[in-house]
Amino acid sequence: MGHSRAKNVAYDDDDAYSDDDYYEEEDTGGDGMTDEDREQMRTGTIKVREALGSDITVTDTQIQEALWHFYYDVGKSVTYLKNKYTTAPSKPAAQPKKQKQVSRFDQAATAAGIEVHSAPGTKPKAKKTEGEKLTESVEKLKVDETPKVKRKNLNVVEEYAKSGMKRMANFVVTGHVDHGKSTLMGRLLYDLKVVDQRTIDKLRKEAENMGKSSFALAWVMDQTSDERSRGVTVDIASNYFETEKTRFTILDAPGHQDFITNMIAGASQADFAVLVIDASINSFESGLRGQTKEHALLIRSLGVQRLIVAVNKMDTVSWSKQRFEEISGQMTTFLTSASFSPKSITFVPCAGLTGENVTRKVEDPDASWYTGQTLLDALDASEPAKRNIEKPLRMTIGDVFRGGITTPVSISGRIDAGALQIGDIILALPTNQTATIKAIDVEEQPAEWAVAGQIPTLHLTDIDPQHLRNGDIVCDPKNPVKLVKFFSCKALAFDHVLPMSVDVIRGRLQAAGRITTLAATLNKTTGEIIKKKPKIVKPGEVARIRVELENDLPLEVGTRVILRDGGNTIAAGLLEG
Ligand code: GTP
Ligand code: MG
């Protein structure tokens, strides 16, 4: 597609399946840019330059490459450029990865011996003659004609077994807005030296300059300028750390109710969850009426069984034992009613801001009553999750990235079941298109294969990016998921459920649908029918309902979906057929 913008790469989940205009051909003049593109590039360049200030020297071309790659998102471009052109080299894992940001296709392509242009991905648009551009395109065509991807025919299940790989665990960090999730994770990474002192000092200085000094640790996770200026997390950010036993992937979720769908996308990739609660007076109480409750119900409905409740900001209540017990007591009652088993819940008092009881025991004399685990101990005590490595491949696309010419598109997401390797042909649904895996990154490092439970980035060829969207399913072409127009599910009502229009949410997918039938209300524990054809299902009740989709979707028995309507969660369902 040369220079024309890959408008068809779904970059925002809200446009998935809705905006047909994205596929229309545009008049792009000679350089592949529309007038609108040019104007966005011009104003974007000015804005980015302003935001970067005088500390960073970058050329207009570098700014424009970043703007192009990040779809003219000024915030993301600024963050990217700042990271690329200022900081001293730190360990790769120290840079958290917003799931919607930069892909590592260059790194992987280089490892695979493929020539690529420097990130972010596309060639400079300014100051090139037509002749130069033509030569360049011809050169790139040559690159593209390199032999097809070789498949090593590995037995990935065996490779995985003999790799002696540490056990892996992904956990999502959830809870009400501002309860300290990102700060807690920033602290954890800092104390484990995944993030170095220099980076923290820099963040502290930047946060102070913006009058937001209390957010410095949160900024380890919150990387976009939008998140930083608003002081809230907007989208899931991933980062990694390891203990002797386990490689952990952190999925830091937003608490704000406007971004619940992003939280759902994170929670659907998690093996267990950390629920962060602000212990300060009134904060716990208002959280329990808000997203503390909603997140807990959602993660349970998405299949998460194990929960660590981090009773955070204990410094604000002088490490009061009574407050900790009050919160633990109320939460146990609520969580058990939400079908969490008491033995799968661990309560840990902590303070992310001060670092007490995160990786080191709390020393405050007020806390002498507490002799239990630190947050890190509790994380490390988590049981290994069951992996369906030998089942057919199922991967949910969490993000689609535009790549360069040699690797036009990359996708990332969790492998829900099965395994894959370089050279595999995969099938994307619902578009029903195949692609070849050209390279794989696991935790931002090149890899030859990946297995269930991991969240790899796959660099693909032989597919037009328009056939890949956030929330789509990738599977084995020989063992595909069926597309359905209707499904029946066992649903837990969050709100009153009636025959009504809903958004069906699965991972990052949001699709239009309609609850058509309320078949029966069911006994929560035994599943026995209580009442056939109820007129309405009340919050907290479980019912069998039927949903009709506007478009066919790849859904199978056992899939978990969330039904929402205009910003409210209506119900969570488990597909029965
Ligand atoms: P969202 O992602 O937007 O939902 O917020 P969050 O839960 O990630 O909260 P964040 O880490 O952004 O912190 C919010 C505010 O709480 C910041 O001002 C933090 O400094 C403050 N905070 C976080 N942890 C603690 C703590 O342990 N003690 C005190 N006193 N303040 C804290
Ligand atoms: Mg946050």
Side-chain angles (χ1 to χ4, degrees):
M1 83 183 61
H3 263 210
S4 71
R5 280 192 66 94
K7 284 267 186 190
N8 34 31
V9 176
Y11 206 77
D12 277 315
D13 20 313
D14 20 348
D15 65 30
Y17 301 97
S18 62
D19 197 349
D20 291 333
D21 294 345
Y22 269 25
Y23 299 105
E24 278 172 19
E25 282 296 317
E26 290 175 71
D27 176 13
T28 61
D31 58 1
M33 294 176 80
T34 62
D35 285 347
E36 193 196 338
D37 277 338
R38 274 186 215 101
E39 183 52 23
Q40 293 212 57
M41 192 61 98
R42 191 185 68 79
T43 52
T45 309
I46 297 168
K47 282 191 204 149
V48 171
R49 197 161 278 297
E50 255 172 38
L52 287 174
S54 53
D55 296 355
I56 300 167
T57 345
V58 287
T59 63
D60 275 3
T61 309
Q62 283 161 336
I63 294 179
Q64 286 166 6
E65 282 181 353
L67 282 166
W68 179 261
H69 190 75
F70 291 112
Y71 252 69
Y72 303 123
D73 186 313
V74 172
K76 285 178 183 164
S77 305
V78 170
T79 309
Y80 171 82
L81 291 165
K82 275 193 180 164
N83 283 336
K84 188 163 159 104
Y85 295 107
T86 43
T87 40
S90 51
K91 281 185 239 162
Q95 302 297 335
K97 191 178 154 217
K98 277 284 154 189
Q99 291 197 334
K100 291 192 147 195
Q101 284 189 5
V102 83
S103 87
R104 309 292 286 198
F105 61 89
D106 297 272
Q107 197 184 345
T110 312
I114 301 155
E115 187 198 329
V116 288
H117 290 256
S118 63
T122 45
K123 52 194 167 182
K125 265 156 284 303
K127 302 183 205 113
K128 277 231 157 102
T129 66
E130 288 304 317
E132 275 169 339
K133 276 191 256 167
L134 191 65
T135 325
E136 212 172 63
S137 329
V138 172
E139 268 167 19
K140 288 201 166 170
L141 276 179
K142 264 195 255 160
V143 175
D144 219 19
E145 280 165 7
T146 48
K148 288 271 176 207
V149 189
K150 266 212 205 94
R151 187 175 192 272
K152 285 193 180 164
N153 293 326
L154 301 172
N155 179 334
V156 177
V157 175
E158 264 174 28
E159 292 290 320
Y160 171 62
K162 71 178 190 223
S163 70
M165 195 185 264
K166 263 190 200 180
R167 71 189 213 194
M168 312 167 277
N170 313 323
F171 66 90
V172 63
V173 189
T174 60
H176 197 72
V177 67
D178 268 354
H179 279 203
K181 300 175 286 298
S182 303
T183 303
L184 193 58
M185 291 304 108
R187 163 61 68 180
L188 187 71
L189 293 167
Y190 174 40
D191 286 356
L192 291 174
K193 302 200 164 46
V194 176
V195 179
D196 58 20
Q197 186 64 44
R198 220 188 121 106
T199 308
I200 296 291
D201 290 345
K202 196 174 138 264
L203 289 178
R204 283 202 203 283
K205 207 173 116 210
E206 281 173 21
E208 232 157 74
N209 290 344
M210 274 174 71
K212 290 226 176 317
S213 49
S214 74
F215 283 89
L217 282 168
W219 285 7
V220 170
M221 305 305 295
D222 294 339
Q223 283 223 308
T224 68
S225 55
D226 185 34
E227 292 178 313
R228 290 183 176 183
S229 59
R230 290 161 73 172
V232 295
T233 303
V234 173
D235 207 346
I236 296 287
S238 325
N239 215 321
Y240 314 96
F241 68 92
E242 62 187 299
T243 60
E244 248 171 56
K245 281 198 314 212
T246 313
R247 288 278 311 154
F248 288 99
T249 299
I250 302 173
L251 301 155
D252 181 38
H256 198 288
Q257 56 180 336
D258 286 357
F259 312 123
I260 284 228
T261 49
N262 292 337
M263 175 270 167
I264 293 171
S268 30
Q269 303 175 51
D271 299 317
F272 69 95
V274 175
L275 180 63
V276 178
I277 291 178
D278 180 345
S280 13
I281 308 308
N282 292 329
S283 293
F284 160 61
E285 287 74 11
S286 53
L288 198 51
R289 291 188 294 271
Q291 277 59 57
T292 304
K293 180 179 172 192
E294 188 172 12
H295 282 195
L297 290 171
L298 281 169
I299 53 186
R300 185 67 196 87
S301 304
L302 289 164
V304 171
Q305 293 182 358
R306 188 171 140 63
L307 193 61
I308 296 173
V309 182
V311 182
N312 192 31
K313 306 200 191 181
M314 283 298 287
D315 57 311
T316 64
V317 293
S318 317
W319 284 85
S320 157
K321 181 182 184 194
Q322 196 198 343
R323 181 66 170 162
F324 177 69
E325 285 175 350
E326 181 189 3
I327 293 174
S328 311
Q330 284 196 40
M331 284 307 294
T332 306
T333 311
F334 162 65
L335 292 168
T336 353
S337 76
S339 308
F340 280 98
S341 138
K343 65 176 192 321
S344 309
I345 314 169
T346 311
F347 289 91
V348 180
C350 60
L353 197 62
T354 62
E356 290 160 298
N357 211 39
V358 179
T359 61
R360 54 187 156 82
K361 295 237 179 276
V362 45
E363 281 166 15
D364 191 325
D366 287 340
S368 57
W369 55 269
Y370 184 74
T371 52
Q373 294 178 311
T374 61
L375 178 65
L376 185 64
D377 294 336
L379 290 168
D380 218 17
S382 54
E383 290 290 310
K386 224 177 87 217
R387 310 278 178 210
N388 296 320
I389 296 177
E390 299 186 32
K391 294 237 174 90
L393 175 68
R394 300 288 184 259
M395 172 171 164
T396 310
I397 302 181
D399 269 298
V400 182
F401 309 94
R402 185 223 328 251
I405 288 285
T406 50
T407 317
V409 63
S410 304
I411 55 174
S412 73
R414 184 170 82 152
I415 305 181
D416 301 314
L420 46 80
Q421 62 184 295
I422 294 175
D424 271 357
I425 293 173
I426 52 168
L427 178 71
L429 290 172
T431 51
N432 211 15
Q433 299 286 322
T434 56
T436 308
I437 303 175
K438 190 159 189 172
I440 302 171
D441 285 354
V442 174
E443 293 179 17
E444 306 185 20
Q445 302 297 326
E448 289 197 339
W449 47 263
V451 295
Q454 291 183 315
I455 307 174
T457 299
L458 308 182
H459 308 286
L460 303 175
T461 57
D462 306 330
I463 189 161
D464 188 318
Q466 76 172 13
H467 300 309
L468 297 161
R469 297 200 164 206
N470 293 340
D472 285 0
I473 299 287
V474 159
C475 55
D476 175 0
K478 287 189 234 94
N479 208 329
V481 183
K482 282 208 187 78
L483 296 180
V484 298
K485 178 93 178 149
F486 301 92
F487 64 84
S488 163
C489 69
K490 206 161 116 182
L492 168 69
F494 281 49
D495 206 326
H496 291 93
V497 179
L498 297 157
M500 64 197 287
S501 296
V502 282
D503 281 331
V504 178
I505 301 183
R506 183 192 175 281
R508 284 225 186 256
L509 168 83
Q510 288 184 58
R514 227 191 116 62
I515 300 174
T516 54
T517 319
L518 308 180
T521 45
L522 308 174
N523 179 306
K524 235 180 177 176
T525 27
T526 62
E528 274 168 50
I529 294 179
I530 297 175
K531 183 172 180 213
K532 282 195 176 161
K533 303 220 161 128
K535 290 234 156 43
I536 188 167
V537 182
K538 295 202 203 81
E541 290 182 340
V542 173
R544 176 164 295 124
I545 61 173
R546 201 166 154 78
V547 177
E548 179 179 1
L549 294 159
E550 206 169 281
N551 297 302
D552 290 7
L553 286 181
L555 293 172
E556 55 192 344
V557 174
T559 304
R560 291 172 188 273
V561 293
I562 305 292
L563 307 178
R564 284 177 57 89
D565 174 41
N568 293 319
T569 303
I570 303 298
L574 177 66
L575 252 78
E576 297 184 311

